[in-house]
Amino acid sequence: PTSPGYTTAKQLFNKFPPNSPDFVYSCRNLEDAMKVVSIANRHNLTIAIKSGGTSMEGFSTCSGNCIQVSLSEYKTYSIDKTTMAANISAGFSNGELYSELFPKNLAVVSGTCQPVGFAGLSLGGGLSILMRGNGLATDNILALQVVLYNGTVVIADTNQH
């Protein structure tokens, strides 16, 4: 909490929930996520994942003996041109993702509010302007790369986990 940038790093869109984690960690890639989860496990810290930080319920924050893990700097994506399936990391907001895809004449089933984090929105259902023809964002998830509490990674899809 005394480090420079702490206040900015833990900031949320929603000002209502208590938000004073002992630690804030920013992930730039999968290895960072694996590392911070292992550290949290080793030190018995609760983890709050912050994608966009817009959770009205306060899911993206915590207070006390915990670590807020920000994914907002973890931004990579790729598109398989054959299947048109996208691999999108957890750090994008809807606005950022649309800004990347629209110039390429591509779109994803995602939300309508630009600052909302794509990961949280997708896992929470994901209402979209494309949902009448394509379902919710969560209906379109083919697989998830999940960091378990011991720091290992699994792929969750229709065949495993």
Side-chain angles (χ1 to χ4, degrees):
T2 59
S3 297
Y6 170 81
T7 301
T8 302
K10 74 177 187 95
Q11 191 170 1
L12 302 173
F13 176 81
N14 178 12
K15 306 294 185 219
F16 175 71
N19 182 27
S20 56
D22 282 348
F23 306 96
V24 176
Y25 188 93
S26 184
C27 296
R28 289 184 173 85
N29 52 48
L30 179 61
E31 291 74 25
D32 285 351
M34 294 167 64
K35 178 180 170 182
V36 71
V37 170
S38 292
I39 291 168
N41 184 7
R42 200 167 39 248
H43 296 282
N44 200 30
L45 297 170
T46 300
I47 300 173
I49 305 296
K50 176 184 163 191
S51 177
T54 58
S55 168
M56 293 308 289
E57 298 90 347
F59 295 145
S60 54
T61 190
C62 57
S63 290
N65 189 38
C66 61
I67 185 165
Q68 181 189 67
V69 178
S70 174
L71 301 174
S72 63
E73 293 184 32
Y74 184 10
K75 296 177 186 159
T76 61
Y77 75 95
S78 62
I79 308 227
D80 182 321
K81 300 288 185 179
T82 305
T83 63
M84 292 308 290
N87 184 344
I88 302 168
S89 65
F92 284 101
S93 70
N94 283 323
E96 292 167 335
L97 188 56
Y98 290 149
S99 292
E100 288 284 329
L101 298 178
F102 285 177
K104 297 173 176 112
N105 293 319
L106 298 170
V108 292
V109 178
S110 189
T112 58
C113 185
Q114 290 191 11
V116 172
F118 178 71
L121 169 115
S122 299
L123 294 175
L127 301 178
S128 165
I129 58 173
L130 300 174
M131 71 182 175
R132 285 189 183 187
N134 299 290
L136 301 173
T138 196
D139 298 329
N140 289 276
I141 294 173
L142 302 176
L144 295 170
Q145 199 171 35
V146 181
V147 179
L148 301 178
Y149 197 61
N150 64 5
T152 61
V153 177
V154 297
I155 303 296
D157 62 18
T158 57
N159 299 316
Q160 53 192 342
H161 302 284

